[in-house]
Amino acid sequence: MANGWTFVSNHGHVLVALATDPDALLREVAARVGITERAVQLIVADLESSGYLTRERVGRRNRYAVREDLPFRHPLEAGVPVGAFLELVRGSVWPPLPVTGPDATAHPAPGRTPP
């Protein structure tokens, strides 16, 4: 992030983090997203009040569930359910695997040097 912006907002990052690890502590989510724990708390409150996230108390911990059937909020993406975005992210392989075969030297994986 050389110039400080990303394609996904912090709300989106928190949603992805909790969708992939519903039992995560908010402190862990904050570390993964790169924001403060207080910022995560405010985002979780936004997501809960909007119905995108539910919280269930399990012992002394919380378990979060994302309403994947709800659409994105902005009119440009309003026809896309949140679950489609999450599936896209969940299907990703990170870090990228190296390219093998005849094109390996022409297209090395990011951060890797060709053999």
Side-chain angles (χ1 to χ4, degrees), residues 26 30 49 56 61 65 72 78 90 97 114:
L26 296 187
S49 68
E56 174 191 2
R61 309 259 322 239
F72 274 83
R90 287 181 190 133
L97 299 174

Side-chain angles (χ1 to χ4, degrees), residues 10-41:
N10 286 340
H11 279 67
H13 292 306
V14 169
L15 195 69
V16 168
L18 291 173
T20 56
D21 186 2
D23 297 312
L25 297 172
L26 296 187
R27 147 178 10 117
E28 297 166 344
V29 173
R32 287 178 64 194
V33 174
I35 59 178
T36 66
E37 186 174 353
R38 179 66 182 141
V40 172
Q41 292 168 348

Side-chain angles (χ1 to χ4, degrees), residues 15 47 50-54 65-71 81-83 86:
L15 195 69
L47 295 170
S50 298
Y52 285 86
L53 193 65
T54 59
V66 175
R67 287 279 314 273
E68 296 189 19
D69 59 312
L70 295 179
V82 169
L86 293 173

Side-chain angles (χ1 to χ4, degrees), residues 1-8 10 13 32-35:
M1 264 188 351
N3 58 4
W5 67 272
T6 65
F7 281 104
V8 178
N10 286 340
H13 292 306
R32 287 178 64 194
V33 174
I35 59 178

